Amino acid sequence: MNIKAENLNKQYTKKNSTDVKILKNINLEIKSGQKIALIGPSGAGKSTLVHILGLMDRPTSGKVYIDGIDYFDKDNKYLHVIRRNYIGFVFQFHYLMPDFTVLENVLIPVWKDKKLKLKQVQDILNKAGVLHRQAHYPSELSGGEQQRVAVVRALINNPRIIFADEPTGNLDGQTGLEIENLLFDIVTDIGATMVLVTHDENLAKKTDRIIRIIDGCIL
Ligand SMILES: Nc1ncnc2c1ncn2[C@@H]1O[C@H](COP(=O)(O)OP(=O)(O)O)[C@@H](O)[C@H]1O
Ligand SMILES: [Mg+2]
């Protein structure tokens, strides 16, 4: 899917305080199937931008078009359906549900989808190297294994856009590299568009395009 942002602004208004402008007139276009890196210092507005492009948060002004459609015209319930069907997120922290097993955690996004067979889900867990952990709870896994499961969960329903917000920020170098490769492999396999937030210039170089953001502006 193609994503286009036009004149995006985000600001927070607090009583008895000046407004805080987080995003300032952002314009960008990401072509369908493109992998882009969003790079910039902490506090630059990367996560805020990703939340808006991923329809999790609304801008103060401006538009986001996904395949030409302005979804911010719709209510939150509608946005939820679009996210569930077309968008996958991987965050710095895995947000797996502690009371569910690995297999249950990755089945949650697809439990209504009768076409997706248990065997297919297990094939993807196998590819991610965590099939032997399917009956375990998240707390029984290493940080790297937890993040592998989070990647599988984000990609299980074949999303057309993936947002990965510092997906390896919490892991050591080697483990982080393995997660990155897993993410790139699966995203390439399914031909999705990817927006990857990172501090890591080497990782950013693996994408098709680097977008730099500083103090809420694209350079
Ligand atoms: N709810 C909020 N109210 C006020 N300021 C916020 C809020 N959420 C985020 N911010 C501020 O927005 C700025 C950008 O945050 P963020 O998008 O998380 O940056 P990044 O992901 O690049 O580190 C930060 O200065 C942060 O403090
Ligand atoms: Mg962030």
Side-chain angles (χ1 to χ4, degrees), residues 91-155:
F91 301 100
Q92 181 173 357
F93 300 100
H94 57 73
Y95 299 116
L96 296 172
M97 302 217 229
D99 298 331
F100 292 88
T101 64
V102 163
L103 185 62
E104 287 163 350
N105 263 283
V106 299
L107 282 173
I108 288 164
V110 290
W111 68 276
K112 275 187 182 161
D113 185 353
K114 303 220 166 37
K115 284 176 298 196
L116 204 68
K117 296 285 182 315
L118 182 62
K119 168 88 170 62
Q120 284 171 278
V121 173
Q122 287 174 323
D123 281 350
I124 302 173
L125 282 172
N126 190 31
K127 190 171 183 175
V130 286
L131 182 60
H132 64 299
R133 296 296 222 155
Q134 63 175 327
H136 290 226
Y137 290 91
S139 63
E140 298 167 340
L141 274 56
S142 70
E145 287 169 333
Q146 290 168 348
Q147 200 62 330
R148 284 167 182 277
V149 176
V151 168
V152 172
R153 180 188 51 184
L155 300 172

Side-chain angles (χ1 to χ4, degrees), residues 172-197:
D172 67 63
Q174 181 55 34
T175 310
L177 207 63
E178 287 167 17
I179 301 292
E180 286 155 15
N181 290 334
L182 174 68
L183 193 61
F184 270 78
D185 284 354
I186 306 184
V187 170
T188 305
D189 261 10
I190 65 177
T193 307
M194 177 160 77
V195 178
L196 171 70
V197 175

